[in-house]
Amino acid sequence: MVREMDELRHRRASSWEYDLILREAEKYGELRHHTFAIVEGKFRDVYAVNERVWTEIEGLKMKPYAYGTFVGTIKVDKNLVEKFYPNVEFFYFVDVQKNYAILSPKAGFLFTTGKDVPRSGVRSYNWQGTKKLVIYDENGIILGIGRINPGSRNKFILNVTDIGAFIRRRR
């Protein structure tokens, strides 16, 4: 069931939700942003906001549907555990120091078209623990999120999501 616009709740992220966001960021490096807001509807959507924006939102009579930068969603997984699922934009707020890969230009193009990447297309990578990696091109631009598949040479990095997904979506 989709909630009506007036049923959406807007609030700051609770300390528990902030901890979920922080734990996800720590898999990759250090979180560089500390003010997050939640829009509760079917899911709990997480937005990075600054204090000035938050102050303006609190003063509005009609609450907005969204604000700030959408960085992910908090959901309950199949084991009934709350988890923060980041999107690509989340990693602009993280100083990524581990669990990343840098792709060659051809592999970067393949990745942004939804394809998996062979080992030969990976210039360098740092993998420590989690199977998910932040994917960059050689210029340091974030291309998306991938899952490492160390047992395969042809599909070494599996595409989870990328910056081209919005353009490829069905309308």
Side-chain angles (χ1 to χ4, degrees):
M1 175 176 132
V2 177
R3 292 183 177 199
E4 295 297 322
M5 192 79 131
D6 58 347
E7 291 185 54
L8 293 175
R9 289 187 52 220
H10 305 77
R11 59 181 174 74
R12 281 186 188 260
S14 69
S15 59
W16 170 255
E17 291 162 331
Y18 181 77
D19 191 49
L20 291 174
I21 296 164
L22 184 60
R23 278 188 274 155
E24 188 65 25
E26 287 173 345
K27 294 177 185 175
Y28 304 92
E30 185 177 336
L31 186 61
R32 294 186 302 205
H33 189 79
H34 304 290
T35 306
F36 295 93
I38 305 291
V39 175
E40 284 186 277
K42 183 176 180 183
F43 300 109
R44 284 180 285 168
D45 292 335
V46 180
Y47 293 84
V49 295
N50 63 34
E51 287 297 325
R52 186 178 63 83
V53 169
W54 185 253
T55 302
E56 289 180 23
I57 290 168
E58 287 182 317
L60 294 175
K61 289 183 175 48
M62 186 173 82
K63 298 299 180 193
Y65 176 75
Y67 43 86
T69 302
F70 176 63
V71 294
T73 303
I74 295 174
K75 298 179 187 175
V76 178
D77 70 10
K78 62 184 176 192
N79 298 321
L80 302 177
V81 175
E82 283 186 315
K83 187 169 184 329
F84 173 63
Y85 294 90
N87 65 10
V88 175
E89 286 75 19
F90 174 69
F91 295 100
Y92 287 104
F93 298 95
V94 177
D95 180 17
V96 177
Q97 300 163 357
K98 58 187 177 183
N99 294 317
Y100 65 86
I102 300 170
L103 305 183
S104 68
K106 182 179 178 183
F109 174 77
L110 285 173
F111 190 81
T112 59
T113 60
K115 307 289 189 289
D116 299 328
V117 177
R119 174 65 183 102
S120 60
V122 178
R123 292 275 191 245
S124 64
Y125 69 99
N126 179 309
W127 176 39
Q128 298 177 23
T130 183
K131 288 230 176 208
K132 284 186 185 173
L133 302 177
V134 181
I135 308 301
Y136 291 94
D137 72 0
E138 291 180 322
N139 300 315
I141 296 171
I142 298 173
L143 300 179
I145 303 168
R147 178 169 276 117
I148 193 161
N149 185 17
S152 174
R153 294 201 63 71
N154 292 334
K155 293 186 175 194
F156 186 68
I157 295 180
L158 305 173
N159 185 313
V160 173
T161 188
D162 62 80
I163 58 174
F166 179 78
I167 295 169
R168 294 191 309 272
R169 78 187 192 288
R170 297 186 196 269
R171 297 177 194 184

